[in-house]
Amino acid sequence: MRSLPARRLAAVALTAAASVVALAGPAFAHVTVNPGSAAQGGYTAVDFRVPNENDTASTVKLEVNLPMDHPLASVRTLPLPGWTANVEKSKLDKPIKVHGNDVTEAVSKITWTADAGTKIAPGQFQEFRVSLGPLPTDADSMAFKALQTYDNGDVVRWIDEAQAGQPEPAHPAPVLKLTKAAGGDDHGVAASASPAAGTHGDSSDHAAAAGDTKSSDSTARTLGVVGIVVGVIGTAVGVLGLRRKGSGSTS
């Protein structure tokens, strides 16, 4: 009769372990912007990182919507073999001043479409590079709502914005955090804008370093999850052993 509670305890432990893995897994499959932060008022190059999270279909299109409440005067895409980029512009309700000039329209959406024979297959990811600027000085973040289209017709809408004090949404929009420029806005703009868009320089190296840091963070989170799972299972096994030992001593 004592074996029934023990079996229930083991089942609960395994269920808890599976829940931890299930909750941790999707966090690594979001569409993200990398690096995740840039200086206010400056220019930067970022990658929209798109993992394929479907086991039976491939990604063939990505649409990224740029926030028009903080329009960006300069947006350029880096050519990506096998993909065609289409840049759409929208008229601004109110012109913005950039380097003393009036800007009356800004890029509102970028769509990358896979050429024939190109795709992001299951288990793969792709990065789509864009240079942006000047970044706003009156905001601490920018959300880029994205739509990911699969070759089976499925569309995943990465458009939900996280709310303070609330759990992360199931399909969060990629977010670029904006930080105060070191040494003042002018210094920040000059430092960020020095490399030309699409060239390999300090900004590319910085982006790569930030990407490596993010990968390290993901690895650390994964190891942490594994440690929790092992701990839960180990506790369950230890309790089962004690119960069996107690049962054997009273028989």
Side-chain angles (χ1 to χ4, degrees):
M1 292 298 292
R2 293 184 180 181
S3 61
L4 182 57
R7 287 198 297 269
R8 287 179 178 174
L9 180 61
V12 170
L14 292 175
T15 300
S19 298
V20 170
V21 174
L23 290 173
F28 306 125
H30 298 341
V31 172
T32 57
V33 57
N34 299 278
S37 64
Q40 293 176 342
Y43 292 77
T44 189
V46 299
D47 294 316
F48 289 98
R49 185 174 298 166
V50 182
N52 191 95
E53 56 179 11
N54 192 312
D55 294 333
T56 59
S58 299
T59 299
V60 292
K61 185 167 71 172
L62 173 69
E63 301 171 61
V64 174
N65 294 277
L66 281 69
M68 295 306 290
D69 55 343
H70 291 95
L72 299 170
S74 177
V75 177
R76 294 181 175 86
T77 60
L78 184 68
L80 180 63
W83 295 82
T84 299
N86 180 55
V87 177
E88 298 181 27
K89 293 185 176 182
S90 296
K91 195 79 172 178
L92 299 179
D93 295 333
K94 181 181 179 180
I96 57 175
K97 283 280 188 182
V98 179
H99 303 306
N101 299 317
D102 286 334
V103 176
T104 60
E105 63 178 12
V107 173
S108 56
K109 183 167 73 171
I110 306 173
T111 302
W112 286 271
T113 305
D115 299 338
T118 300
K119 60 186 178 182
I120 308 175
Q124 298 180 346
F125 75 95
Q126 183 59 266
E127 292 182 334
F128 302 84
R129 171 154 286 209
V130 180
S131 69
L132 308 167
L135 300 173
T137 57
D138 58 348
D140 57 11
S141 66
M142 299 182 74
F144 298 86
K145 297 184 178 182
L147 275 65
Q148 180 180 9
T149 301
Y150 289 88
D151 56 9
N152 64 356
D154 289 347
V155 177
V156 180
R157 300 169 62 83
W158 302 97
I159 62 173
D160 299 329
E161 297 189 42
Q163 302 297 323
Q166 298 295 322
E168 184 181 51
H171 298 94
V175 173
L176 177 66
K177 300 292 185 182
L178 301 178
T179 60
K180 294 292 184 182
D185 288 345
D186 293 340
H187 177 75
V189 171
S192 299
S194 56
T199 60
H200 296 286
D202 293 341
S203 66
S204 297
D205 294 339
H206 175 71
D212 291 342
T213 300
K214 190 173 185 69
S215 297
S216 298
D217 291 342
S218 296
T219 301
R221 287 196 298 270
T222 301
L223 292 175
V225 170
V226 172
I228 293 172
V229 173
V230 171
V232 171
I233 294 175
T235 300
V237 171
V239 171
L240 286 174
L242 289 175
R243 287 181 175 271
R244 288 175 180 172
K245 183 177 180 180
S247 176
S249 63
T250 57
S251 59

